Structure formats: C-alpha cells, structure tokens
Amino acid sequence: MSKKLIIWDFDGVISDTEKLWVENRRRMLNEKFGLNWDFATANRYLGGRSDKTKKEELDRLGIVTDDAFWKEALDRDYELLEEGIELTEGIENIFSNTGLRQCIATGGIKKKTLAKIKSVGIGSYFGEDKIFTADMVEHGKPEPDLFLLAADRMGFEPKDCVVIEDSLAGMTAGLKAGMTVIAFLGFEMNQSTEYLKQVKALGIKHVSYTMEEVEKFIVEQLTKTS
C-alpha cells in the first residue's frame, strides 16, 4: 500500500475549468456592479475558492452579493459544463496507477463536482468515498479544513499527503494543513511571471508545468519513504 496520499484539486488541475468559473463571475460582477475587473484581478480575489469564500472575500472588499447572484452563477456554470470539458493531458496515467492512494478535494460543491467528474470520465477512479468538497467543511480554502478532512477520512497523517494545486488559495490551504504541495501551473491563466512570484512567495518549493513532471515528483516522494 502507498505510504503517501495524493490529493487532487479539480479546477485548474484535473481539467482547465478554473478559468471558466472565474471568468463567469468576473463578467457577472462587472455587469451587475459596474466594476472593470480584468481576468487577473478576478483571479486574485476569486481563484481557487468556493462560492462561499468568494462571497466572504467580496464582502471584505465592500461588494455585497445576494443568494440570487450565486444561484445565477452556478446555473451558468452548469450550462458551461454541458458544452463539455477535457481531462488534463497525461493525468490519467497517474490515476490508473493502482499502487497510489488518491482522492479529490475541491472548492466546488458536491453536485457540481460529480457532474465534472462524469464529464471527464474519471468516475471509475474516484468513488464518492474519495471525493471531498467545500460543502463538507465549515471553512473552505485557503483554510486547511478540507485537506485535513480528506486525510482523516482516507486514513493518512497530513505529513504523508501530497497536494496538487493551481490556486494560491489552495496552495495556502495545503501548507496550513502541513502537507507537501505541488504547484501545477500547466495552464495559461497561471503562467505569468507575476503569478510565479506569488507562488514562490508562499514558500512553495515544487512547481510543475506538465503531468509528467507531477508524476516524476510523486515517484520520488514514494521512493524516499519506501
């Protein structure tokens, strides 16, 4: 049995979907509140967070949204899902490794997460006992609650967990949980020099741009503990 637990974020890691949800909310905020946010600004405040923690961040900025706003945002998300999403290249090679213990811990709600998993066809790798979502904890990312829940339910100590994340909020949560964090920057939205500086400023030591690099790091971690 693997001595490490691999914890996957979904949006921006398993599939290039984070940009869809951020862009959807950016447009709605600009339309309804007269903002002039570009994508980078929206990603700074909203990226990697559940809608609950997005709302809290907007409240902090003085942008007060109601339940109708978030229902409309979620409805638009489901419309985007119906158009189809794709699995990140090379990731299924890792999922299919039966020697690894793996689970998903995502800032999305369970219903939406199950729809995403179905859309990319990875349900055979991740049963519901291996899926952990923001609505299962009181505090979402950047707090560590979700990752700690995943580790506990899967029977691992935090120090024996490897988190693969693309967002600053998710990376922060993994570090707060006392886990090893891989920053996956394989998609364009997270490949600016400024974003890499922000990742490094968190203290992230491991940055990967392809799933081949992620797989190599995982193997190295397992070798160290074997």
Side-chain angles (χ1 to χ4, degrees), residues 7-197:
I7 304 179
W8 296 94
D9 177 41
F10 193 102
D11 300 306
V13 177
I14 292 176
S15 182
D16 189 15
T17 45
E18 181 69 15
K19 65 182 182 183
L20 300 178
W21 320 140
V22 172
E23 177 62 12
N24 178 17
R25 285 146 185 76
R26 182 192 74 85
R27 289 183 178 181
M28 288 181 61
L29 287 166
N30 285 353
E31 290 169 4
K32 297 178 182 297
F33 292 91
L35 304 179
N36 191 31
W37 280 8
D38 59 15
F39 184 86
T41 301
N43 193 36
R44 182 185 315 134
Y45 294 119
L46 307 179
R49 298 171 181 264
S50 67
D51 278 350
K52 178 183 176 182
T53 54
K54 285 183 177 74
K55 183 181 187 307
E56 291 169 353
E57 183 67 5
L58 291 172
D59 286 345
R60 188 184 67 80
L61 296 171
I63 304 168
V64 180
T65 55
D66 57 17
D67 290 344
F69 176 92
W70 296 103
K71 181 181 183 303
E72 181 179 344
L74 192 58
D75 288 344
R76 291 189 185 187
D77 288 349
Y78 284 119
E79 290 175 4
L80 291 168
L81 273 176
E82 288 178 1
E83 297 175 10
I85 58 177
E86 296 182 355
L87 199 61
T88 300
E89 183 178 355
I91 199 170
E92 196 161 7
N93 291 334
I94 306 175
F95 290 163
S96 62
N97 186 336
T98 57
L100 296 177
R101 294 290 304 281
Q102 305 180 64
C103 68
I104 293 172
T106 174
I109 60 173
K110 187 172 184 179
K111 179 181 177 182
K112 182 179 172 184
T113 300
L114 292 175
K116 291 184 291 187
I117 287 172
K118 181 179 180 180
S119 182
V120 293
I122 57 173
S124 61
Y125 302 120
F126 298 100
E128 290 197 30
D129 61 332
K130 297 179 181 178
I131 300 168
F132 305 95
T133 55
D135 44 354
M136 298 174 71
V137 294
E138 183 176 357
H139 303 292
K141 304 171 187 178
E143 297 308 315
D145 303 34
L146 185 60
F147 289 141
L148 292 173
L149 174 68
D152 181 64
R153 294 277 182 88
M154 296 293 291
F156 283 80
E157 294 294 325
K159 66 181 178 62
D160 295 321
C161 298
V162 177
V163 170
I164 298 96
E165 266 285 357
D166 69 306
S167 72
L168 299 176
M171 294 174 209
T172 300
L175 292 173
K176 284 184 177 181
M179 300 176 178
T180 299
V181 178
I182 301 175
F184 177 70
L185 308 183
F187 296 119
E188 184 178 358
M189 66 174 283
N190 291 332
Q191 291 183 340
S192 69
T193 301
E194 179 59 31
Y195 193 77
L196 181 59
K197 287 180 180 178

